[in-house]
Amino acid sequence: MAVAILKKILQNSMFLIAGRLFSRAMQFVLFVYAARQLGVATFGLFSFAYATVNLFAITMDLGLSSYLVQQLSRKQQRLTTLLFQAMWLKAILIPLGLAIILISGSLLATHTATWWSLILLGIAAAVDSITSLFYAVFHSRQQMQYSALVIATSNGIMSLVGLALLFFYPVVGLLCGIFALGAVLRCILAAMIVRRKIELPEKRSDDRFATEMLAKAFPFALVTIFVTIYYYIDTLILTAFSSAEVVGHYNAAYRLLEAPQFIVQAVTTALFPAASSFYNHDRSELRHLTAHFVQKAAAFGISVAIVTAYVADELVYLLYGSAYSASGPLLAVLIISAAIIMPNTICGTTLRATDHQNISAVVTGLGAFLNIGLNLAVVPQFEALGAAWATVATEGFVLVVYFFLVWRWVGPLFSFTFLLRLVLIGLLWMTAMTATRPLGVVAQVGAAVVLFFPFLIASGIFKTKELKKIMQRKAPS
């Protein structure tokens, strides 16, 4: 039944949201506390190391994990064969990635602490690359509760240990070591679950498929490479043209974007294997699911963007203190990109689930080059504010192209009426935030939480009739 598929997606989304909510909350507290303890300049050095490792760590995976989810969603009987072949490829890719990170560290790092941070974060990335294969097994079987358990447990322990140690030893190298500890915990827990909970089929010999796997996974790698570039290249360019303090202010604001985005990331993680399956069985149901989640993501993104923009300065002061006051205006601009990223993520996931990963790679590649060009053009003069607007412009470009492609290959995602509803929910939020401004940031955020679903219903974006229609739909066998 189609309702069973949708329920499974929603159930898996809730597992991941619950796990990642706890995980991100703990990690967010760790980041904020570290920013306070380390100071703006040292936090800027950490942000540079964090961005550099995330940029070059892509070479440790090259799209294998995403390709594994896509294929195992259709061919569970080959789980053992594909998993072992992916591990064999990782044994080559991980040392290569570590070497690239260390070489880049020796070329880019100007401070000894930064170089050691690159090493420790590189080790964490290597271990997480192995863990991603175990996640692929969970996700392909739509058993996201295991991923949620691993993420919540490991990051909870990591954050508690980090908070305790940073209280006594506020050192950037220690913070990076804590991230390595979290990666090791995730890998151990995920491996134990696969060993005990997943029944692995008998391995089949297929020597050619390892090379074929890497070739077919490469478009997924390109998408990841380009997305990572325009997530982290701004930090590297800011480092080249600005001070560590500017980098620290920018990344303090950027870290706050992760809070709302993890929800849509959880949904797309659950959506990807189901969309891959529907592509082979029922294209009309695929269009329905894609439109459903794109509309909800757009409404959620606009809601979060307006609320955050209204309280940006007060929120930054509340979390980071007066030393990070320059991060407030940056957050007010960057949160616009977060609103655009949410429907973007759904569209990109749909393209990759429908065997259009090559096209998705081209789109994200164009976005990455656009982002680099914009940053190089505006950062020397406008510094962090220029980088923030470059991010917004890049996401806007990708949104337009993705909508056109998904509309062409999957079907229409929204109507003119839906656009009017988005305008209505925007007006409702602006009215509410203006009316509650005298009450202070805590009261405003609390009011936003209470009003979220009533505003969705009032604007017509969420209707109870919608659930009844879903219950009446038929699914592919």
Side-chain angles (χ1 to χ4, degrees), residues 215-229:
K216 290 187 175 180
F218 192 65
F220 290 100
L222 288 178
V223 173
T224 305
I225 289 169
F226 294 139
V227 169
T228 305
I229 286 174

Side-chain angles (χ1 to χ4, degrees), residues 351 356-364 402 405 409:
L351 287 178
H356 290 102
Q357 53 262 32
N358 290 335
I359 302 299
S360 181
V362 171
V363 175
T364 51
Y402 265 168
L405 293 175
W409 285 319

Side-chain angles (χ1 to χ4, degrees), residues 112-124:
T112 304
T114 307
W115 197 84
W116 279 106
S117 298
L118 287 166
I119 294 176
L120 292 170
L121 291 175
I123 293 172

Side-chain angles (χ1 to χ4, degrees), residues 430-476:
M430 286 188 284
T431 302
M433 297 307 293
T434 302
T436 57
R437 174 165 280 177
L439 301 178
V441 60
V442 176
Q444 283 187 293
V445 173
V449 172
V450 173
L451 292 172
F452 178 72
F453 282 108
F455 278 4
L456 283 180
I457 295 172
S459 62
I461 291 174
F462 180 85
K463 295 181 290 186
T464 54
K465 291 181 180 179
E466 187 176 25
L467 293 178
K468 294 180 180 179
K469 289 180 68 176
I470 293 171
M471 295 295 291
Q472 296 170 355
R473 297 182 67 88
K474 295 182 179 180

Side-chain angles (χ1 to χ4, degrees), residues 16 20 23 65-66 68-69 72-73 76 83 87 127-155 182-191 193-194 198 269 273:
L16 288 172
R20 290 181 179 179
S23 169
S65 301
S66 296
L68 202 59
V69 174
L72 290 179
S73 298
Q76 272 294 313
L83 181 61
M87 286 184 174
V127 178
D128 274 333
S129 183
I130 298 172
T131 310
S132 67
L133 296 181
F134 301 133
Y135 288 158
V137 174
F138 302 149
H139 297 170
S140 68
R141 297 167 62 89
Q142 300 192 47
Q143 294 176 317
M144 276 66 168
Q145 68 270 24
Y146 295 140
S147 295
L149 177 63
V150 170
I151 293 169
T153 303
S154 61
N155 282 2
V184 172
L185 287 174
R186 282 189 290 276
C187 190
I188 292 173
L189 288 172
I193 292 174
V194 168
I198 307 296
T269 301

